[in-house]
């Protein structure tokens, strides 16, 4: 009988404890804690997915990109043929780096000096590295919103940490736009010069690199005087980064 009485008392105590109402002033605090818990879990899931996708893309070529997909719908299809780095003329890789990101081998994805120079000039020049452009092209969307730039800045070090410099440059050369509906260096080489990417000359590679900032308004096969001058500068720049070792990380 004593045992039954004790058990009944304990059960009554637990019921009373469970039935204790939450004080009104504590409800906002509990709500905030619950929301923060779900936000924290969501952030962890997003980070895990980003790491998983980035790791997978070290060996799997992205089948398309958000921008390529939108352009395909706009023009009724795009021209792109993926080629491995060994099937791209080395001078093309050097030309792209010389034109877009001469310190590609020296930074970890964000070129602080280039960003500072861009800010000082009021945004009239770009401060994005090749790594940032790859992140934007493969994962994000076009445009200059602060949200996209923030995501780009967060994801670029992740890509740099997981991918090799050679892989970053390979993806860049395969997803970059070279003309309306023309993506990737292989399609561009055939489109403009009737050759494969592996057979590009120094001048041809430099002209392709020269049109990268504005491919819809520039032509590599019918260059303006500006493109000719820019290409000549890129030829010299490609030779320079090869000589001083700034091409070592991808060759």
């Amino acid at each position: 009988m004593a045992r039954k009485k004790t058990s009944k008392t304990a059960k009554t105590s637990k019921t009373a404890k469970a039935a204790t109402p939450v004080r009104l002033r504590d409800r906002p605090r509990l709500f905030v804690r619950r929301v923060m818990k779900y936000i924290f879990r969501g952030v962890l899931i997003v980070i895990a997915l980003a790491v998983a996708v980035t790791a997978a893309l070290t060996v799997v070529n992205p089948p398309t990109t958000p921008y390529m997909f939108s352009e395909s719908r706009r023009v009724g299809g795009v021209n792109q043929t993926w080629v491995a780095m060994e099937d791209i003329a080395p001078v093309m890789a050097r030309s792209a780096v010389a034109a877009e990101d001469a310190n590609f081998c020296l930074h970890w994805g964000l070129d602080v000096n280039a960003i500072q120079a861009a800010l000082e000039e009021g945004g009239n020049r770009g401060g994005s590295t090749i790594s940032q452009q790859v992140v934007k092209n493969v994962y994000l969307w076009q445009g200059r919103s602060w949200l996209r730039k923030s995501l780009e800045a967060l994801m670029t070090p992740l890509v740099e940490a997981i991918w090799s410099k050679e892989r970053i440059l390979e993806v860049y050369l395969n997803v970059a736009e070279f003309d309306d509906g023309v993506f990737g260096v292989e399609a561009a080489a055939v489109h403009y010069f009737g050759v494969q990417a592996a057979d590009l000359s120094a001048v041809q590679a430099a002209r392709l690199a020269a049109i990268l900032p504005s491919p819809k308004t520039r032509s590599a096969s019918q260059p303006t005087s500006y493109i000719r001058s820019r290409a000549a500068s890129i030829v010299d720049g490609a030779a320079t980064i090869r000589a001083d070792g700034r091409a070592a990380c991808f060759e």
Side-chain angles (χ1 to χ4, degrees), residues 29-110:
R29 187 182 304 172
L30 293 174
F31 175 75
V32 170
R33 286 181 180 178
R34 181 173 298 178
V35 170
M36 292 301 296
K37 180 176 70 174
Y38 284 119
I39 291 176
F40 181 70
R41 287 179 179 177
V43 170
L44 289 180
I45 291 172
V46 170
I47 292 174
L49 287 174
V51 171
V53 171
T54 302
L57 291 181
T58 58
V59 292
V60 178
N61 299 327
T64 187
T65 67
Y67 180 62
M68 200 182 302
F69 178 75
S70 66
E71 284 296 283
S72 178
R73 296 186 63 183
R74 185 180 69 83
V75 301
V78 297
N79 182 12
Q80 186 214 28
T81 302
W82 193 282
V83 285
M85 197 64 170
E86 55 266 26
D87 294 322
I88 300 173
V91 71
M92 180 67 236
R94 291 194 296 270
S95 295
V97 170
E100 294 290 294
D101 186 6
N103 293 322
F104 176 66
C105 288
L106 305 180
H107 60 66
W108 45 273
L110 302 175

